[in-house]
Amino acid sequence: MKTALVTGGAGFMGSHLVDKLVDNGFFVVVIDNLATGTWDNLKGYEPHQVLKMTWDITEYPSEDVLPLRDADVIVHLASAASPVHYRRLAIETLRVNSIGTENALKLARKFHARFILGSTSEVYGDPQISPQPETYWGHVNPNGERACYDEGKRFGEAMAMEYHRQFGIDLRILRFFNCYGPRMQSEDGRVVPNFVRQALENKPLTIYGDGQQTRSFCYVSDEVEGIYQAIVRDNLSGEVFNIGNPEERSIVNFAEAVAKIGGVSLRTEFRPLPADDPTNRCPDITKARQVLGWSPQVSLEEGLAKTFAYFKQT
Ligand code: UDP
């Protein structure tokens, strides 16, 4: 049986990845400080399937803390990901993406494990080209309100790449684009939970700015399949992949889709645009298609319907 260590595995995306790994025969050790995750996302697992450790990866886990002799793969996902949460946890976000990333890399070095770095489309900042290929260096405010996340992730990429260059770590960097689905927290402030909750409560959907900014939404099972392909395929060390859905839409258009799928008539309320909110975001996934054999399969209609069903029952 293979062993995976997942930091941030009690969170939204991490817990779906843990499910996928267990389904595919992995024993999974999860390290999470529960800043934005919850063990409720991993209910029902026995310790021989999923070992749950409440621990902050910014502290290096010594052998008496982490009862693990070996790991085949380490997936570093620990970080707040919602702009509302990473503003609230700004210094923690910088620390987990810098010190936390180095600690996870040290573990990968110790165990000779493959290393998957969960990065983000935010490394592109407010992109000046669209769609964004992996080769684009980005357009980022280094000290603005989103810098704790954007620059934290950029530092993490630089650190991981140096561990790859200097110590031969078998590294894959994945940049996720606006992942959504069940287990998102209804109050996390991102556009998907906000609009779905507002539609369910028959309230106006809150559009920030003029709503002409674009995003590309990827359903969580697609995103997790992309991570899984990057975990199991060989000969990818040092490679960077965009993992997202290239179907780009404006926030106004997204509000229309949410209202339609939620079965409500669209009512909107315009609010000020947060600082440094990117004007556009769309992944070029040519590389993931060709090298990982991966592309998203779930339509926005299907993904949103499942998200509505989840929010209705919680
Ligand atoms: N947004 C919005 N209404 C909301 C929440 C967010 O119009 O209630 C906008 C936000 O300004 C951004 C986009 O939706 O342009 C996506 O925001 P989110 O926080 O989900 O993620 P981001 O892509 O900005 O990290």
Side-chain angles (χ1 to χ4, degrees), residues 83 146 178 190-191 194 206-208 213 215 251 277 281:
R146 296 173 85 105
N178 289 80
R190 279 182 279 190
V191 70
N194 274 9
T206 51
I207 293 180
Y208 300 165
Q213 70 272 32
R215 293 293 186 273
I251 294 302
D277 199 287
R281 202 182 273 156

Side-chain angles (χ1 to χ4, degrees), residues 59-270:
E59 298 290 330
Y60 183 77
S62 58
E63 268 156 41
D64 46 325
V65 172
L66 180 64
L68 196 60
R69 289 220 198 95
D70 204 9
D72 299 285
V73 62
I74 295 179
V75 188
H76 182 44
L77 299 177
S79 175
S82 144
V84 170
H85 281 164
Y86 63 66
R87 278 306 312 138
R88 180 173 62 81
L89 300 166
I91 290 174
E92 291 86 343
T93 300
L94 281 160
R95 286 173 58 84
V96 75
N97 285 300
S98 52
I99 303 162
T101 300
E102 186 172 19
N103 284 339
L105 285 160
K106 283 181 181 166
L107 290 172
R109 208 178 156 201
K110 174 171 144 184
F111 294 137
H112 305 288
R114 186 165 280 178
F115 192 85
I116 312 291
L117 179 68
S119 187
T120 170
S121 56
E122 286 283 323
V123 300
Y124 301 125
D126 188 12
Q128 292 177 308
I129 59 168
S130 182
Q132 296 89 50
E134 290 86 351
T135 47
Y136 179 51
W137 290 358
H139 178 233
V140 179
N141 179 345
N143 54 27
E145 294 195 2
R146 296 173 85 105
C148 58
Y149 189 65
D150 303 11
E151 295 292 11
K153 291 286 186 185
R154 287 166 69 95
F155 181 96
E157 287 201 14
M159 178 67 88
M161 204 52 102
E162 286 312 326
Y163 266 69
H164 163 67
R165 290 191 188 105
Q166 295 189 29
F167 307 124
I169 296 281
D170 184 359
L171 166 71
R172 294 99 206 267
I173 294 175
L174 307 182
R175 295 181 181 149
F176 306 126
F177 284 66
N178 289 80
C179 180
Y180 74 99
R183 299 186 195 156
M184 289 186 101
Q185 292 174 328
S186 69
E187 305 294 333
D188 93 355
R190 279 182 279 190
V191 70
V192 175
N194 274 9
F195 281 5
V196 169
R197 185 171 37 78
Q198 287 157 352
L200 285 172
E201 293 170 0
N202 220 356
K203 290 183 177 158
L205 309 194
T206 51
I207 293 180
Y208 300 165
D210 61 7
Q212 293 310 310
Q213 70 272 32
T214 66
R215 293 293 186 273
S216 305
F217 297 97
C218 188
Y219 188 65
V220 65
S221 62
D222 280 335
E223 203 91 23
V224 161
E225 178 62 28
I227 304 174
Y228 187 73
Q229 290 304 321
I231 290 174
V232 296
R233 288 179 182 243
D234 294 327
N235 304 319
L236 297 178
S237 193
E239 297 292 343
V240 182
F241 295 96
N242 286 334
I243 303 291
N245 191 318
E247 202 183 291
E248 180 184 16
R249 54 182 75 227
S250 71
I251 294 302
V252 165
N253 178 273
F254 182 63
E256 288 163 3
V258 169
K260 187 168 169 217
I261 291 153
V264 295
S265 53
L266 178 64
R267 285 191 299 134
T268 55
E269 185 182 305
F270 285 83

Side-chain angles (χ1 to χ4, degrees), residues 4-11 14 18 28-35 39 42 50-62 65-68 74-79 96 100 103-104 107 111:
L5 193 156
V6 181
T7 75
V18 173
V28 188
V29 178
V30 176
I31 293 182
D32 201 304
N33 71 351
L34 307 181
W39 293 128
L42 294 174
V50 176
L51 186 65
K52 302 171 196 169
M53 288 183 50
T54 306
W55 184 262
D56 188 333
I57 193 61
T58 60
E59 298 290 330
Y60 183 77
S62 58
V65 172
L66 180 64
L68 196 60
I74 295 179
V75 188
H76 182 44
L77 299 177
S79 175
V96 75
N103 284 339
L107 290 172
F111 294 137

